[in-house]
Amino acid sequence: MSGMVIDMLKQRYSSDTENSYVGELDGISVYHPRSPDFAGIDDFLKIDAVNDPGGKTYRIVADGYRPDWWFNVRASNNEPLLRINFECSDPSRLQSGAKAVIDAVHAFCTKNGARVEIDSPGNLTLELA
């Protein structure tokens, strides 16, 4: 189910109406808004040629880009959890932004027969019905 949730979020936030960049390093990461200075996510998340030349573990954010908000969703490696990390530059938008992502995940899982439980802030437990 976790893979299906990540695919749903990728499709949703890749749309032009969401105006966001979507990356697939360690689950899915979404950065909002897009900037005319950076055509795609690989333009502002640069590969660290010295420490991670394959760009498979982490990237360096290029100067000149700072998202208003971003989130990462990934499956836990050792628990049946979907971890959601949401950050934003304006603290007053944190609760509504994180709630929008959690609501989208909850609606998708309910529609597809999975039980969703908020395990702790930022962690969702998904169980197939």
Side-chain angles (χ1 to χ4, degrees):
M1 180 59 66
S2 295
M4 291 172 57
V5 169
I6 289 171
D7 288 345
M8 177 274 296
L9 291 169
K10 178 182 175 187
Q11 182 177 2
R12 175 181 176 155
Y13 286 97
S14 293
S15 72
D16 288 339
T17 57
E18 290 293 340
N19 191 33
S20 299
Y21 299 108
V22 176
E24 296 182 74
L25 187 65
D26 193 21
I28 184 173
S29 295
V30 175
Y31 302 85
H32 178 85
R34 291 181 188 150
S35 167
D37 297 332
F38 302 99
I41 196 164
D42 289 332
D43 297 318
F44 76 87
L45 287 181
K46 302 292 186 180
I47 291 175
D48 181 347
V50 174
N51 297 305
D52 186 17
K56 294 181 180 181
T57 305
Y58 65 93
R59 302 276 181 106
I60 299 170
V61 178
D63 290 335
Y65 181 72
R66 180 177 165 95
D68 290 342
W69 54 261
W70 74 271
F71 69 86
N72 172 268
V73 178
R74 68 174 188 82
S76 171
N77 288 331
N78 55 3
E79 299 175 276
L81 300 175
L82 196 61
R83 300 204 184 278
I84 299 175
N85 298 301
F86 189 96
E87 296 185 27
C88 63
S89 59
D90 180 356
S92 68
R93 295 196 56 213
L94 181 62
Q95 186 173 1
S96 63
K99 184 176 182 327
V101 175
I102 290 170
D103 286 350
V105 170
H106 188 270
F108 179 82
C109 290
T110 300
K111 178 181 173 184
N112 288 283
R115 185 177 68 79
V116 179
E117 176 183 317
I118 298 177
D119 187 46
S120 65
N123 292 326
L124 299 179
T125 300
L126 303 177
E127 292 181 19
L128 296 176

